[in-house]
Amino acid sequence: MPQLQSPVQELALQDAESIQVLLNSEQRGALLPFVGQEMTVTRAARQSGSSANTTLARVKRWVRLGILRTVGEEHHPRGVSKVYRSSADAYWVPYRFTSAESLTELARAVYLPLLDRMLREYAGVGARLGGDWGLLFQRRGGTWNILPTQAAECRCSPLDEPLPAALLELETLVLTSGQAKALQRGLMQLLEQYRHGAHPHGETYNVFIGLAPAAV
């Protein structure tokens, strides 16, 4: 078999058929097992929850579009299976191929499941506190703020030791564009600091960061 070059880091997609693979939630989920790793159709179908026949049909089309490529073969008692891998580690899609509605739907499809899981896990931390702990409901701007605290007369903080590390905050801030960019950079730098300082024997925590101009 000829020697294949390593996949490029990023590939710019410029045709509507290829771009639709990434904008469509089902196809995007089915493609994910192949991105950055070698994968057979059977294993990819199992990971994505699709049928093997549907995955195979998609794979053939993705190879034709240049999104996937064949990288080898896998021998097993029932025969030989082709092994595929994404042609790039990431795909770039121009905004002109999208609309505000499709971008909103894309953000919902990618982030809402993660946010919903984080909310459930955050609520689970509160349920485990028990004892004299409860919820303090108070107004913050135009919405409710819910703060875990002990008895009403005790302003204990979830930051106190040895309580579990859990935090859920939503703020509406009035900032200049320069302040907003400084906040954006600071948040990303803080995230990078802990991402690269991950402890090999630590626990796994979900961190969700968001910043966007409020709609006028």
Side-chain angles (χ1 to χ4, degrees), residues 65-101:
L65 293 172
I67 295 175
L68 287 187
R69 61 181 189 167
T70 307
V71 295
E73 294 180 342
E74 187 175 283
H75 296 262
H76 49 81
R78 292 173 295 175
V80 179
S81 297
K82 290 185 178 181
V83 179
Y84 302 90
R85 183 186 170 120
S86 58
S87 56
D89 293 327
Y91 298 95
W92 182 81
V93 174
Y95 273 126
R96 67 176 180 271
F97 284 95
T98 67
S99 64
E101 291 76 15

Side-chain angles (χ1 to χ4, degrees), residues 144-162:
W144 283 100
N145 183 57
I146 305 174
L147 177 67
T149 185
Q150 280 189 306
E153 65 276 5
C154 174
R155 291 298 180 264
C156 301
S157 169
L159 300 178
D160 295 342
E161 296 286 354

Side-chain angles (χ1 to χ4, degrees), residues 9 11 19 29 32 39 49 56 77 80 88 101 104 107 122 125 148 152 192 216:
Q9 185 174 2
L11 178 64
I19 288 170
L32 182 60
M39 187 68 56
L56 178 59
V80 179
E101 291 76 15
T104 300
Y122 177 82
V125 170
E192 283 295 313
V216 178

